[in-house]
Amino acid sequence: MEDALSRDVWSHPQLAAAVVNEDWGAVFRTYRRLTGLSQTKLGERVGLVQPDVSDIERGRRRVTSVEVRQRVLAGLGVPADLQPSRALPTSGGSPVAGLVVPGAGPDEDLLARVTSVVDSSHRVDVPTLDWLDRLLAEHRRAEDTIGSRPLVDVMRQQLRTVVDLYAGARGPLADRVVRLASEHAQFLAWMAQDQAQTAAALAWYDRSHEWALEAGDANMAATTLSMKAHMAWSGGRGDRCVRLADAARWSAQGTSLGVQGMAAQMAARGHALNGEPGEAHRLLDEAQALISRAAEHPADEPVWMYFYDETWFTLQRGMAALHLHDWQAAMDHLTLGLDALPDEYRRDKTWYRACLAHALAGAGESAQAVSVAVASVPDAAAVGRPHSWNELHATAAVLLRKGAQEGKQLVAALREFD
């Protein structure tokens, strides 16, 4: 377990950047913070005594020996693609798989620059950053269909590419690189959240928020807080959801109407989770007004808000009604939203169908609940674990608790994919 954790920490951008920059004090400090190792235990891994580890962390000693440097790389299991001595080919090599959008490849020179370690400022230019923006947008939309699991490693590699770019960026380009890193970290956080990896998601959201503030990106800074509110809501923590959503609303001035609307509806869902219909409905009405105004000026919204429109808001109203046990309103809103939701949003359609099944079960519509739930099982098993999968199990529990025989039918369908 410890070895698996040690390998996974290298996806953290701060640790990756420290290795690339050969800042061994930062490497030791960050590695220990992420793994929980003591200075003594880390020293055992790299062949150093505890006082030497302490001196390196405090900057009192520098790692100048090639032999010590190699012991650190080997002892901490630094991936080959992060090791400073490794030079990726600038031409003729195989491109990183995740940096290729089918049917829309860049010219060879641009692809070489994007997939190579940047070692001079002339490699950081507008076409390169435009291409990385486009890649991120394509992968966001791909995740809607295929889920997060196939994309995690791809996006980690892309973030490493962006981190490498920072060393060669100057002026406005440096600001843009930091903004791009913030967007990648937010997407990685969302994917970790989608897989119920709470600690990793929180770490990525914190990193994204910090980079957003550095880049002066109020929309992303507020979005990361809204997404942390969503995490709190997912964990059944209504009060924390409201506090984080309120922070998203008021801490970042100059945010877009859509970003403000997202924060307002997250606060509403927190109040709904707490069984507070008055505040929930007030904030939902406020959010709807913001979303409607945002729809009049779509170009003013950040690119990652592409999904958030009247259809999504209708679904969020359904979720709030579900928490308030207003089964009829939940069924009405979820059905209306699902009918309008495009098929390419496979993961999300699976989630909201599972929620609709839950609402139907709560309303006593057992046969219809099982019909919707059973039809959702294959997609929930493929792209909806753990959230949609857990919601279907919750639906089965509601049916069984109500004494509905159909609950056993749903349990049997779920077991086929367990």
Side-chain angles (χ1 to χ4, degrees):
M1 185 67 165
E2 186 176 287
D3 289 341
L5 175 61
S6 299
R7 289 194 299 272
D8 191 57
V9 297
W10 295 106
S11 64
H12 194 284
Q14 185 177 356
L15 185 58
V19 173
V20 170
N21 294 328
E22 299 193 62
D23 184 348
W24 302 110
V27 169
F28 283 6
R29 290 192 303 274
T30 306
Y31 187 92
R32 289 200 310 106
R33 175 168 58 82
L34 294 173
T35 62
L37 284 181
S38 66
Q39 289 182 340
T40 299
K41 289 295 185 181
L42 186 143
E44 291 174 359
R45 291 194 174 194
V46 300
L48 293 171
V49 296
Q50 182 273 329
D52 287 341
V53 173
S54 178
D55 285 346
I56 291 170
E57 288 192 3
R58 294 172 179 269
R60 294 173 180 170
R61 174 180 171 180
R62 299 183 64 187
V63 176
T64 57
S65 164
V66 174
E67 188 267 336
V68 171
R69 179 174 170 279
Q70 289 303 117
R71 289 209 313 264
V72 171
L73 293 173
L76 299 186
V78 178
D81 61 325
L82 287 181
Q83 294 187 18
S85 61
R86 179 180 172 85
L88 296 180
T90 57
S91 63
S94 299
V96 178
L99 297 176
V100 178
V101 178
D107 60 79
E108 292 184 4
D109 176 64
L110 180 56
L111 183 60
R113 280 180 282 148
V114 170
T115 57
S116 300
V117 173
V118 178
D119 56 11
S120 59
S121 61
H122 76 273
R123 291 183 181 275
V124 185
D125 53 26
V126 172
T128 299
L129 298 181
D130 285 346
W131 181 245
L132 285 168
D133 272 330
R134 182 179 176 187
L135 286 169
L136 179 57
E138 293 286 347
H139 284 127
R140 285 187 187 277
R141 291 185 178 274
E143 195 259 350
D144 291 330
T145 301
I146 65 176
S148 58
R149 291 184 186 278
L151 290 172
V152 172
D153 289 340
V154 167
M155 296 313 302
R156 285 174 176 167
Q157 179 60 54
Q158 280 185 212
L159 178 57
R160 287 171 184 159
T161 298
V162 174
V163 170
D164 288 339
L165 287 172
Y166 184 73
R170 300 292 183 272
L173 287 181
D175 291 338
R176 187 172 171 189
V177 169
V178 176
R179 175 191 61 75
L180 190 58
S182 176
E183 292 184 25
H184 278 73
Q186 183 266 338
F187 188 36
L188 281 164
W190 163 251
M191 291 193 290
Q193 179 180 341
D194 182 56
Q195 297 175 44
Q197 297 171 356
T198 303
L202 287 172
W204 281 117
Y205 279 133
D206 286 344
R207 172 54 61 186
S208 176
H209 187 259
E210 181 180 329
W211 275 333
L213 293 177
E214 182 181 343
D217 190 339
N219 282 324
M220 179 52 77
T223 296
T224 56
L225 291 172
S226 286
M227 297 309 295
K228 289 177 76 172
H230 183 272
M231 284 190 66
W233 168 82
S234 297
R237 303 173 67 187
D239 289 340
R240 178 168 171 78
C241 175
V242 171
R243 288 196 300 270
L244 286 166
D246 284 345
R249 299 179 72 200
W250 308 122
S251 66
Q253 298 298 315
T255 53
S256 73
L257 293 170
V259 169
Q260 293 172 38
M262 175 188 280
Q265 67 85 16
M266 277 310 316
R269 286 164 66 182
H271 283 295
L273 193 60
N274 285 341
E276 300 164 350
E279 279 298 287
H281 289 304
R282 181 185 68 80
L283 285 164
L284 285 170
D285 290 342
E286 181 180 336
Q288 183 160 18
L290 288 165
I291 297 299
S292 297
R293 289 170 58 197
E296 298 173 2
H297 305 282
D300 294 341
E301 296 302 316
V303 293
W304 62 86
M305 292 290 290
Y306 67 92
F307 66 92
Y308 206 81
D309 55 15
E310 291 286 353
T311 295
W312 244 265
F313 184 74
T314 299
L315 291 163
Q316 303 315 316
R317 274 198 180 274
M319 295 302 302
L322 185 66
H323 290 310
L324 293 168
H325 294 180
D326 186 347
W327 307 121
Q328 188 60 54
M331 290 186 293
D332 290 345
H333 288 302
L334 290 169
T335 300
L336 184 62
L338 279 164
D339 286 344
L341 193 63
D343 288 338
E344 57 262 31
Y345 292 105
R346 182 187 177 198
R347 190 259 332 278
D348 298 290
K349 292 199 82 162
T350 303
W351 162 248
Y352 289 115
R353 281 175 179 150
C355 293
L356 175 59
H358 190 163
L360 288 163
E365 301 289 346
S366 303
Q368 192 175 355
V370 169
S371 176
V372 172
V374 170
S376 303
V377 167
D379 281 342
V383 299
R385 295 177 188 264
H387 301 293
S388 299
W389 194 251
N390 290 345
E391 190 68 15
L392 290 175
H393 278 278
T395 300
V398 171
L399 291 169
L400 293 172
R401 191 164 58 246
K402 287 177 173 288
Q405 292 300 310
E406 292 88 349
K408 296 180 181 179
Q409 180 184 347
L410 177 54
V411 170
L414 290 167
R415 284 178 177 170
E416 290 184 15
F417 289 86
D418 272 331

